Amino acid sequence: MRSDLMKAGPTRTPHRSLLKALGITDSEMKRPFVAVVSAGSDFVPGHMHLDKISEAVKAGIRNAGGVPFEFHTIGVCDGLSMNHKGMKYSLCSRELICDSIEVMLTAHPIDAVVFIPNCDKIVPGMLMAAIKMNLPSIFVSGGPMAPGHVMGKKIGLSEVFEAVGAHAAGKLTDANLKEYEDFACPTCGSCSGMYTANSMNCLTEAIGMSLPKNATCSAVSSERLRIAKDTGEKVMELLEKDIRPKDIMTEKAFRNALASDMALGCSSNTVLHLLALAHTAKVDITIEDIDEVSKKTPQICKLNPASEVFIEDLNAFGGIQAVLKELDRGGYIDNTVMTVTGVQKDRMKDAMPADGNIIHTIENPIRPEGGLAILFGNLATEGAVVKQGAVAPEMMVHTGPARVFNCEEDASDAILSGKIQSGDVIVIRYEGPKGGPGMREMLAPTASLAGRGLDKEVALITDGRFSGATRGAAIGHVSPEAAAGGVIGLVEEGDTISIDIPNRKLELVVPDEVLAQRAKEVKMPEQHLEGYIKRYAKLVTSGSTGAVFSED
């Protein structure tokens, strides 16, 4: 056992004495040691109940003969850090989470790991750590939040941000806005729509690293506790069989996850995280591969914020295994891949068939292509990402004048003060991985557009990124970013921008010779950075490669 490095033999007598100070008995010393890595904290609604999940996991580990050791990671709530400096620290927390787990699991040798994430960057950060350490591992999330009910409608967090725009436009009273505040987020759990947290939990199940129903079962259900206990027992079986993350997270499994991503209409942030995971696993998946999968995989689910269907509804109709079963029926996934519960074909055989409404059939999809699209052109020679499944049909092709802003705050002020007109293309730059730094999410400006009724008339492009709660013609991850010399940094007020999502085009309609001259004259905003964010800006790479750290 790997844990023998700190507990076996005469030379480890001092180590055993420290373990006994924790209450470890002689009989426990002979059993496998299992880490339980939790993101539980009092900051994050998605994490506030993870202590109960971890207790269930530890009970399962003990049931199966293991000895659990729990420790915690950091975790940023994107909703609370949105639209201020704190959002610069969200994406960059992913690498800190991964590295801190590597430190803990190397300094304290253990035999297997259960990971308990729930929200945005925590899920991919833990998956990256699982790949790096390659110990027998399994995931159990805290589960999704229930949707709220306001003014007779089911809503999620995205509608609250949109309500701010509606209130600014005089469409909602103060009392209406307070109702959104009070009732939109009624329980613990990851925010209720197909935002980034639930997207990544869904893809964790699709790639095979968690038990069936883990991604969609309610955060407040007893079933969630049973799944957690089963997960603790299952990790001991993975240890006995020596099944490790790299045995599961193969190229075929990544392609299954990508197909699921496109079928579900997941957050555009999944592009960043899947590329980062593939990089960590040394699996050859590129941004071009993502678009290739999108072009041939039908979207068969349309969830909030693109509709009034929520994660709880997907769960009621079979969850991720039902989606995979329908994709398999059309030949869109490889059903021979290994998962934490055996071969995928066997794992999904008892799943519900597609109901045709919540999960459409492959013969009658929501759209023939996937929910995400990768655009290329002189504005994005390395690619840009759009959640095409949440774009209104009339905005799939759009040409308009650029309205240029060098930060999110300036763009938000312009939207809320009524300075943006129908037909405009908002450009927010110097918000990329290096330029931000930290590649902030832009939910506030996109939600304000939707709240003012402009999401079907105005496009927004940025070298930053968007929340999974974003809907509308919002194109992010524009690469190269402005701070790396990208053409987005050369756009001037009033320039014509052409967007053609069906043909994957994003073009600045300005002659090359004019752009060449602008490149000689451009002046980038000065950055005054300190601490971790300064180190992050030096190490981080392009959004088109997953914003991973440079290995040079």
Side-chain angles (χ1 to χ4, degrees):
M1 290 188 292
R2 184 172 180 268
S3 58
D4 285 347
L5 288 170
M6 64 176 177
K7 68 181 185 183
T11 62
R12 295 301 184 257
T13 300
H15 303 64
R16 288 193 297 276
S17 70
L18 289 168
L19 290 168
K20 287 185 174 182
L22 294 172
I24 301 299
T25 66
D26 286 334
S27 64
E28 287 178 320
M29 211 75 74
K30 298 173 185 176
R31 301 174 194 168
F33 283 6
V34 181
V36 177
V37 187
S38 171
S41 82
D42 291 340
F43 274 104
V44 188
H47 298 177
M48 62 182 283
H49 62 309
L50 294 191
D51 56 339
K52 295 180 176 62
I53 303 297
S54 63
E55 286 304 316
V57 166
K58 288 189 283 187
I61 291 168
R62 294 189 185 101
N63 286 348
V67 182
F69 291 82
E70 181 179 358
F71 68 91
H72 290 240
T73 70
I74 62 168
V76 172
C77 176
D78 280 18
L80 293 175
S81 62
M82 194 73 66
N83 202 29
H84 60 82
K85 182 181 177 181
M87 181 49 74
K88 293 177 182 285
Y89 288 79
S90 176
L91 179 60
C92 70
S93 71
R94 186 185 69 186
E95 270 58 33
L96 273 178
I97 290 164
C98 175
D99 290 348
S100 66
I101 294 169
E102 178 186 351
V103 167
M104 287 294 289
L105 297 185
T106 305
H108 313 105
I110 48 79
D111 303 302
V113 193
V114 178
F115 291 93
I116 310 176
N118 213 31
C119 294
D120 296 23
K121 263 53 67 191
I122 297 94
V123 185
M126 287 186 175
L127 283 166
M128 289 165 69
I131 295 166
K132 276 189 175 183
M133 298 308 298
N134 203 33
L135 297 166
S137 300
I138 189 170
F139 282 65
V140 56
S141 76
M145 180 185 290
H149 293 82
V150 174
M151 299 167 67
K153 291 180 61 177
K154 284 205 304 188
I155 68 162
L157 183 65
S158 62
E159 283 83 359
V160 187
F161 278 90
E162 292 174 12
V164 173
H167 178 263
K171 297 179 180 181
L172 284 179
T173 66
D174 291 347
N176 293 151
L177 191 62
K178 182 66 161 55
E179 192 173 352
Y180 277 87
E181 176 183 326
D182 289 345
F183 301 113
C185 300
T187 71
C188 59
S190 49
C191 295
S192 54
M194 188 56 83
Y195 312 154
T196 305
N198 285 325
S199 293
M200 288 308 303
N201 283 326
C202 287
L203 298 188
T204 300
E205 182 177 330
I207 210 168
M209 285 298 295
S210 65
L211 295 181
K213 299 299 285 287
N214 170 66
T216 56
C217 168
S218 170
V220 295
S221 66
S222 297
E223 183 185 8
R224 171 66 48 188
L225 295 176
R226 296 196 300 272
I227 288 173
K229 196 173 290 186
D230 288 342
T231 296
E233 294 180 358
K234 179 60 67 172
V235 77
M236 299 302 294
E237 181 182 325
L238 295 172
L239 174 61
E240 181 182 354
K241 295 180 178 179
D242 195 28
I243 296 172
R244 299 171 182 253
K246 288 184 179 179
D247 298 324
I248 294 170
M249 287 191 272
T250 61
E251 182 173 343
K252 290 179 179 179
F254 271 100
R255 291 188 176 275
N256 282 359
L258 282 173
S260 304
D261 192 339
M262 300 309 161
L264 290 162
C266 288
S267 164
S268 57
N269 285 316
T270 58
V271 172
L272 275 178
H273 300 319
L274 287 172
L275 287 172
L277 290 170
H279 172 84
T280 306
K282 294 181 169 53
V283 169
D284 187 20
I285 298 289
T286 66
I287 198 165
E288 289 84 3
D289 292 325
I290 292 173
D291 197 49
E292 174 195 332
V293 173
S294 175
K295 286 178 178 177
K296 66 183 183 183
T297 308
Q299 183 179 351
I300 58 175
C301 296
K302 191 171 186 177
L303 290 96
N304 179 267
S307 77
E308 295 181 6
V309 178
F310 288 82
I311 299 296
E312 68 173 18
D313 302 310
L314 178 62
N315 184 69
F317 286 86
I320 299 307
Q321 296 309 310
V323 172
L324 289 168
K325 186 173 186 176
E326 184 62 17
L327 288 175
D328 183 52
R329 197 170 67 81
Y332 296 106
I333 66 165
D334 187 322
N335 64 22
T336 67
V337 298
M338 183 186 297
T339 75
V340 292
T341 53
V343 176
Q344 180 60 48
K345 183 177 182 179
D346 297 332
R347 172 171 156 115
M348 66 189 178
K349 66 181 180 181
D350 294 326
M352 292 173 62
D355 69 298
N357 183 24
I358 302 299
I359 303 174
H360 285 230
T361 64
I362 55 172
E363 291 84 7
N364 185 34
I366 291 162
R367 57 185 305 117
E369 291 187 348
L372 299 177
I374 311 298
L375 311 184
F376 293 93
N378 67 345
L379 253 178
T381 56
E382 294 177 7
V385 184
V386 62
K387 188 174 181 177
Q388 64 174 340
V391 178
E394 54 265 49
M395 290 299 293
M396 293 295 285
V397 177
H398 179 77
T399 299
R403 303 297 307 280
V404 182
F405 304 93
N406 284 349
C407 68
E408 177 190 0
E409 289 83 355
D410 290 349
S412 291
D413 289 345
I415 295 166
L416 290 173
S417 61
K419 295 178 181 177
I420 300 301
Q421 305 300 316
S422 177
D424 286 347
V425 179
I426 299 170
V427 176
I428 307 178
R429 61 194 181 190
Y430 297 106
E431 290 284 9
K434 286 185 177 294
M439 205 177 186
R440 287 195 288 182
E441 287 188 347
M442 306 283 178
L443 178 55
T446 56
S448 295
L449 285 172
R452 296 181 75 90
L454 291 172
D455 56 303
K456 296 179 181 179
E457 302 171 15
V458 172
L460 194 158
I461 69 171
T462 181
D463 51 9
R465 60 196 179 92
F466 296 109
S467 166
T470 292
R471 61 186 174 95
I475 300 166
H477 308 198
V478 171
S479 301
E481 62 176 294
V487 170
I488 191 172
L490 307 180
V491 182
E492 294 186 357
E493 189 80 5
D495 284 349
T496 298
I497 292 178
S498 174
I499 299 165
D500 186 345
I501 296 173
N503 290 306
R504 305 301 202 262
K505 294 290 185 183
L506 181 61
E507 295 281 346
L508 176 62
V509 188
V510 173
D512 290 344
E513 57 270 24
V514 174
L515 293 178
Q517 183 59 38
R518 289 182 186 178
K520 296 176 183 178
E521 301 168 357
V522 69
K523 292 183 179 180
M524 297 185 187
E526 289 186 22
Q527 291 182 319
H528 302 283
L529 305 176
E530 296 179 347
Y532 175 63
I533 202 74
K534 183 176 182 178
R535 297 196 300 275
Y536 181 84
K538 289 181 178 180
L539 292 171
V540 72
T541 59
S542 169
S544 64
T545 57
V548 295
F549 279 174
S550 170
E551 296 181 355
D552 294 334

